[in-house]
Structures are given as structure tokens and as C-alpha cells.
Amino acid sequence: MKNRMRQIILAAACGLSFLAVPRGLWAQENQLGEKKEAASVECKKGFLDCYWFLLSPSDEKAFKNLKTDIERQAFIEQFWKDRDPDPNTPENERKIETDQWIKDVEEDTILLRNTDVDFSPTTFREGGGPRGEMARIYLLHGMPDFKAKLPEGQRFVELMMWTYGDGSGHIKYNFLFYKKYGMFKVFRLYGMGLETALQEISNRFGPQDPDYINQEWYEFQAADIQRIFQSALFQFSDYSKMNPDEAMKPPTPAALLVEQSGSGVLGDPIIPPGWVMRWSTSPTSLPVRFRISGNKGGIPLILLKYSDVDWREKENEFELVLKLRIFFQNKETKQLVLFKSDKQKEKVPYYERWITKKAKKNELLANPDAFFALPLVELGREIENFPAGTYRVNIYLRHEVTNKDAAFVEEIVKK
Amino acid sequence: MNYLAALLVCSTLIAGREADVPDPPDLRGWNMVGERVHLEIKGEDAEKVFTEIVGFTEDYQNPNDPTERVRVVKKIIPLIPAEMTMGDDPTSPTSIISNYIRKKSNDKLKKRYENSEAIAYMRYHLLRDARTGRTESWLRTQEGPWIYREGVEPDRSTFSEPSKDDPEEPILVGIKFSLGGEYRILKIDQDFIVKHGRRP
């Protein structure tokens, strides 16, 4: 009978485990409306004392190893720069917010001034003081979107819940605190079953017998009419990989988030290591002359002036690398001509090659306004094999390093 | 003969009167008016807005004649900010990354403005009359020479090419300016567009 009761309780608990906490609560403004306002205060204690919760062990070690005030100041400036959530604004919103939260914890009155229903006044002192778990969570995440308390019952301790939403209707964190030995602790025993959870929040010392646990569960259900605390015993977050310890770690600095994302701005010059650039006077273009025809024996030519292109220099040798891509489309049939590719086994509908030109320093400097030609012999042979017809030719040439470019649209007649 | 003469006159009128090519306007001392407008290629999917910037236009006012304006079209080395759609939560990773990309893009754009290249000018008057109403236009071809026409403005159109991955589907890669039978194309290598995530 007792075992059957336990099975029923566990089944009911599983059914409740994904019970949604009222989502509309995430949309409610923080009761005190303080989360988003700029702080007019700055933490005046030392850097480590103020911002200990944001520092990883390696950050702390690195800071302690600094020898001079100048080094420490530089570290602090970079530290906050890396954590600025919006570099487009002059202020660092994260620092402003954090300093206000530090002040809240030090004054320890913000949770006393709370006017939420079902949340009796409390202090950070009840959660271990300014360096306890409650304070750490507040310092990292600010005022929760939703708070509730469940008074101590006959068989279970006082419970408190802080819920943070992610702005899109999901629970980011659902911290459940239970008050044991006079102090609120963060509940961590997710995934270990109802019995283990109830043992932990029981108000008697030591392991309890199953009868006691059953009674505790009945009492708990009766007290938790909205079932929000029952849900909190089983699920910390809507994001399956999240747990309380992860949520209480220093957050990834904004700058590192960006780096890890791989997102960025494309189109900038990428100078290979070891090379020095000799820049041309043309800021964006390749002032190139391109000669192409359908005539037999006509070799396509790229004509450039030495001074009109950017050269990369290494050990007195200059090099130019250009990417050439050409589409040939028969105007009558609309078909694209296929070519062998360096990278793919099948033929591709474009001609694409990297073209390299090397030059000695004296060659370049002796007559910078001289032209040089890049003959495209292979392409010329390909064109000789085209069927007769008129072709629309779409030519694109791009400098490999600087992305300066040239684009042409021509027509050739192959007889 | 009369027919041929008429044809020649009509062709010239349609194409704009070609003259000896005067130098493009010297805008030193002129004041920029209004906002700089980007020449952009745009696309979007469910997650991202894609914007590729190939140039911009600026309008200048003659300090000695406020009714005389010149619009300049300038080319830049294309800028492709990989911006993600902002979420509702400003502290979310998506929003933070978006902010950083926007800052990086703005910083790089400022440098691009300084290192831009004028490829077209249009001189016009705000008050048009028989004496001052003619537009004058210049367009620089890829090879370097300037093309000049009176009475017409450069034609602007989008420019597409076959997609390397799917030749049946053209991919928008640039903007084409045409004047007097010549043209200038401002475009982006489609490899960058695809790397950016935009598909045809």
C-alpha cells in the first residue's frame, strides 16, 4: 500500500513537472520599477571587493598579479569594456546596473520594501549576507521578474522562489530557496525524484520515513494552491542545459559572446602575416582593362598599371593575387557555359581562377606607370571550343587582400 | 538623307547631348546638405536582415549659389555587416551581438566614407528654367575615363548574375549605373553574400 501510494505521488509529480508558471507574470513590470534605471552610485570599495561575483578564478588571479596602479586601471577599463552590452552608447549599461545592485545588497532594504502579493519582506542577510547565494543571484541578475514565498508548514521549511524570464515568454531561471538552519539556500536536487526533493525541504533533521514524506507532500500540495512551488521542485529552467550552478557563474563577457558567435563584418582587407602592403592610389577599384573576344587565337588579357594595384611585399619580392570569375551565357539558348573546376569534380557554370603576378622590386619601382599584361591562355583555349553564337560575358575581378574590384558586362561573338 | 539626319538628331536627343568632356565638378568649399544615403542591397530570411553596402550618395550645395546642387555617387569597398535580428530582451546574447556588430559596422563605415571613390556626379538647379534647368551628368567607367552628358541623369538599376550554386536562380549582387551607352557596376562578390548567409 505504501509503495503504491509512493508510485501515485511520483506519477502525479511527473505530471506536474512541466506545469507552466503563469507566463503573464513575466510581462509585469518589476514592482519597484528599479531594474532598468541608471544608478547614480558607483561602488567605492576595491575592485575585487566590489565585483567579486563577476570575476572568474583566472580573472581574479590575473588582477592580483598586477603590480602597478596603471596596470590595474588598464585591467579594470578593459574588464568593463568587454562587458558593455551596447558599445553604441556612451555609457556602460552593465556597470551602471551592477553598481545599483551592489548598493541594493549593501543597504539590504530592497527586499523589505517589496510590495508583491505572497512575498513577505526578507533580507539578503537571511540568504548568507552580501556574499551569500541570494546576494550573488541578485548581483548577477537583478530583481527577479516574479517572487513568491511559501510559509513554513508542519513538515516543510519556508520556501522562496525567484523567477527570471528571457523576454520571450520562457523561464530562464527559477531559483527555489529553502530555509534551513536559519538561512535560505538554493535548491539544486533536480532530476533526483520527488522523495529526495521532499527530504531536502523537510523541516526535520535527518532522513524521514516514507509516511512522513507522504504527509509532507499532501501538506505541500494543500499549501501550494497555484502549484508554482511544486513545479519549481522539478524544473529550474525551460532551457534543458541550464542549472543553478551555471546560472550563478560569472556571465560570459559581451565581447567574448560576439567572438564565439563568429558573427562579424565582412569585406575588410585581410593581410596575410609576414607581408607588408604597398598601396595604390585607387581607393576602391581595380582600374583594369579587360580584353576578350570570340575570335580564333584571341587570348583574353587583363591589363593593369603597376601603380594602380596594391602589392604585397615580402623580402623584396612583390606579389599580386586576383580572383577572376566569368559567366558566359549564350544569348540565344540562355545556357551557361560549363568549365572544369579546381575544387569540384563536376563542371561548374562559370570560369573561376586565382591569378598571381610576381614582380621584383626594381621592376615595380623603375617604371610604376608601365602596364603589364596577364594573359589568360587557358581561358582562350576554352573559348575556342565554344559553339558559335553570341555570348553575354559577366566578368568580375577582385583583389584577394584588399577586395578592390572591377566588374564588366560584355558581349562576344563566336563564329 | 533627311531620314538619316532625323535619326541622328533623335538618337542624340535620346542619349543626351554629348559634348567635349568637361572635368567633373570641384566640390571643395561646397557644403554637404541633407543626409548621406547608402547604396544598399537588401535581403532577409526568418532570422536575419541582410544589408550589403556598396556605396553612398551625398548632395552638395554651391556656397555662391544656393540653388545649385551636385549629387555625388561614391563607391566603397563593400561592407557586409552580419547583423542578427534583435530580440525583445536587450540583455540576450542575440541583442548584445547585434549591438556589437552595429558598432563595428559604424566604425568601419566611417573609414569607408573617408576612403571612397566618386564614380558619378549630377549637377542640377533647384529652380529650373530655360537657362539653368539642364542637368549635367558624369559617370566614370571601370577603365577610368569619364562619360559626360547634358540633359540626362545616369540610369540606376539593380544588377544580378547567375548564382554559382543554383544558376537557374539569379542572385542580386550590385547596382549598375548607365550613361550614354557606358556603365559602372558597384557589386559584391557573391561568395561574400553566401558566406553572409543570404541565398538567391
Side-chain angles (χ1 to χ4, degrees):
Chain A
M1 181 64 178
K2 286 177 187 173
N3 284 340
R4 178 71 185 143
M5 183 62 75
R6 189 182 307 164
Q7 282 170 8
I8 291 170
I9 289 168
L10 286 172
C14 286
L16 287 170
S17 68
F18 296 106
L19 192 68
V21 178
R23 292 284 186 261
L25 289 164
W26 313 149
Q28 288 178 3
E29 276 187 14
N30 169 278
Q31 291 279 352
L32 297 170
E34 290 172 346
K35 192 172 180 183
K36 304 296 180 203
E37 289 183 5
S40 55
V41 295
E42 200 165 321
C43 184
K44 297 284 187 242
K45 299 181 292 190
F47 177 70
L48 293 178
D49 279 337
C50 285
Y51 306 110
W52 54 275
F53 51 95
L54 289 178
L55 292 160
S56 64
S58 59
D59 286 335
E60 193 174 333
K61 188 177 175 187
F63 187 78
K64 283 179 175 172
N65 283 340
L66 297 172
K67 301 279 186 290
T68 66
D69 285 345
I70 292 174
E71 284 177 344
R72 283 186 279 273
Q73 189 55 37
F75 180 100
I76 292 168
E77 280 172 14
Q78 189 62 46
F79 179 88
W80 284 114
K81 192 177 173 193
D82 287 344
R83 284 154 181 79
D84 187 353
D86 189 353
N88 296 296
T89 58
E91 64 275 358
N92 187 326
E93 292 82 358
R94 181 64 169 144
K95 184 169 190 303
I96 292 171
E97 203 171 52
T98 301
D99 285 336
Q100 178 62 55
W101 294 343
I102 291 171
K103 181 170 180 275
D104 292 342
V105 168
E106 283 173 355
E107 289 177 353
D108 206 0
T109 56
I110 194 158
L111 296 173
L112 291 174
R113 290 184 272 133
N114 177 77
T115 55
D116 288 354
V117 173
D118 292 338
F119 191 83
S120 54
T122 193
T123 63
F124 290 109
R125 200 170 342 115
E126 294 174 71
R131 293 231 178 184
E133 290 185 328
M134 206 193 303
R136 176 186 279 271
I137 292 167
Y138 186 88
L139 289 167
L140 286 172
H141 305 295
M143 186 65 79
D145 297 303
F146 174 76
K147 305 184 293 298
K149 268 189 176 177
L150 193 66
E152 184 179 5
Q154 281 194 320
R155 293 176 180 80
F156 59 86
V157 299
E158 185 180 5
L159 299 171
M160 178 170 66
M161 191 164 74
W162 288 8
T163 308
Y164 294 87
D166 68 354
S168 58
H170 297 103
I171 298 175
K172 199 168 158 185
Y173 315 124
N174 206 14
F175 289 99
L176 181 65
F177 300 88
Y178 60 106
K179 199 168 192 179
K180 228 157 179 182
Y181 315 117
M183 197 164 296
F184 277 112
K185 292 172 57 173
V186 172
F187 181 81
R188 286 175 165 80
L189 302 177
Y190 296 97
M192 301 186 73
L194 177 63
E195 194 173 327
T196 306
L198 291 172
Q199 291 273 11
E200 187 67 12
I201 65 169
S202 159
N203 63 3
R204 279 167 59 168
F205 296 113
Q208 307 305 314
D209 59 64
D211 273 342
Y212 186 89
I213 294 298
N214 290 339
Q215 293 300 319
E216 184 186 347
W217 179 236
Y218 286 137
E219 188 196 350
F220 189 65
Q221 283 179 295
D224 182 24
I225 300 165
Q226 290 189 60
R227 302 189 179 180
I228 54 176
F229 286 90
Q230 290 163 63
S231 171
L233 275 180
F234 297 104
Q235 189 173 346
F236 175 71
S237 169
D238 281 347
Y239 299 94
S240 57
K241 291 186 180 172
M242 188 50 65
N243 59 62
D245 289 315
E246 276 301 313
M248 287 162 67
K249 280 184 185 169
T252 307
L256 187 56
L257 268 180
V258 176
E259 202 180 299
Q260 288 171 348
S261 74
S263 292
V265 180
L266 297 174
D268 266 0
I270 303 172
I271 301 169
W275 292 85
V276 172
M277 292 305 296
R278 179 179 285 270
W279 302 98
S280 73
T281 53
S282 174
T284 71
S285 299
L286 284 173
V288 59
R289 290 174 173 80
F290 200 97
R291 299 289 176 262
I292 191 169
S293 79
N295 296 331
K296 188 177 166 64
I299 297 175
L301 275 181
I302 297 172
L303 288 167
L304 286 157
K305 213 190 280 188
Y306 284 108
S307 58
D308 275 347
V309 290
D310 305 312
W311 296 87
R312 60 184 192 194
E313 180 185 353
K314 196 172 179 184
E315 295 164 4
N316 283 331
E317 191 169 78
F318 290 85
E319 192 175 81
L320 167 69
V321 181
L322 301 173
K323 184 178 184 181
L324 173 68
R325 182 187 307 126
I326 311 180
F327 292 94
F328 291 89
Q329 186 178 38
N330 186 302
K331 280 190 81 174
E332 289 85 30
T333 65
K334 307 293 182 205
Q335 292 297 311
L336 290 165
V337 178
L338 298 179
F339 295 90
K340 280 186 214 167
S341 164
D342 290 341
K343 293 176 188 171
Q344 297 175 43
K345 283 184 188 170
E346 298 103 20
K347 284 190 172 183
V348 293
Y350 50 88
Y351 178 84
E352 185 172 286
R353 296 289 186 271
W354 290 99
I355 300 165
T356 304
K357 163 76 178 168
K358 292 185 198 273
K360 293 287 180 203
K361 190 171 183 177
N362 55 357
E363 179 188 346
L364 204 86
L365 298 180
N367 201 352
D369 289 332
F371 282 90
F372 62 93
L374 299 172
L376 305 171
V377 176
E378 179 198 33
L379 179 61
R381 282 200 290 266
E382 296 271 3
I383 292 173
E384 286 195 1
N385 294 326
F386 283 9
T390 304
Y391 292 83
R392 178 184 154 100
V393 187
N394 183 325
I395 303 161
Y396 185 60
L397 200 61
R398 178 172 64 81
H399 193 290
E400 181 219 15
V401 172
T402 65
N403 293 321
K404 294 178 187 177
D405 61 6
F408 299 92
V409 178
E410 304 285 339
E411 257 187 30
I412 61 170
V413 178
K414 179 75 172 54
K415 291 180 182 165
Chain B
M1 183 64 89
N2 285 340
Y3 170 76
L4 285 173
L7 189 62
L8 182 64
V9 167
C10 288
S11 302
T12 306
L13 285 171
I14 291 166
R17 186 166 69 85
E18 182 176 350
D20 292 333
V21 179
D23 290 337
D26 181 349
L27 299 180
R28 283 175 294 184
W30 287 45
N31 308 311
M32 188 171 132
V33 293
E35 298 290 324
R36 185 179 285 124
V37 177
H38 289 152
L39 298 172
E40 294 175 338
I41 306 164
K42 277 198 182 250
E44 64 180 75
D45 63 19
E47 280 186 1
K48 283 187 185 179
V49 171
F50 302 96
T51 303
E52 295 117 16
I53 305 169
V54 293
F56 58 93
T57 62
E58 291 172 334
D59 283 7
Y60 287 83
Q61 180 184 58
N62 186 344
N64 300 320
D65 179 0
T67 66
E68 184 182 354
R69 300 279 173 93
V70 170
R71 174 163 294 171
V72 191
V73 178
K74 291 187 176 178
K75 178 182 184 308
I76 62 170
I77 290 177
L79 190 73
I80 311 168
E83 185 156 339
M84 298 170 75
T85 309
M86 291 280 288
D88 291 332
D89 180 1
T91 64
S92 70
T94 306
S95 297
I96 288 173
I97 291 167
S98 242
N99 290 336
Y100 270 74
I101 299 302
R102 192 163 68 251
K103 170 85 163 95
K104 214 170 176 180
S105 300
N106 289 340
D107 288 347
K108 287 181 187 296
L109 257 179
K110 281 178 196 160
K111 289 194 180 157
R112 296 288 209 272
Y113 295 150
E114 290 163 15
N115 293 308
S116 58
E117 183 182 338
I119 61 125
Y121 293 86
M122 281 150 283
R123 175 150 56 196
Y124 61 96
H125 284 80
L126 293 178
L127 302 173
R128 293 181 188 242
D129 59 27
R131 181 174 57 86
T132 62
R134 286 195 306 273
T135 302
E136 293 174 275
S137 297
W138 290 257
L139 180 70
R140 190 168 202 176
T141 63
Q142 184 64 60
E143 292 194 3
W146 287 93
I147 302 297
Y148 172 78
R149 288 291 183 274
E150 288 180 4
V152 288
E153 292 181 8
D155 180 60
R156 170 180 161 172
S157 57
T158 54
F159 183 78
S160 299
E161 66 186 25
S163 162
K164 285 168 70 175
D165 295 331
D166 185 1
E168 300 294 317
E169 291 290 330
I171 182 167
L172 180 63
V173 291
I175 298 171
K176 182 179 176 185
F177 291 90
S178 308
L179 183 70
E182 298 287 345
Y183 63 90
R184 184 66 183 270
I185 298 167
L186 307 185
K187 69 170 269 189
I188 304 170
D189 189 336
Q190 61 171 271
D191 288 349
F192 283 146
I193 292 172
V194 170
K195 191 175 175 183
H196 189 193
R198 176 159 75 85
R199 292 286 182 265

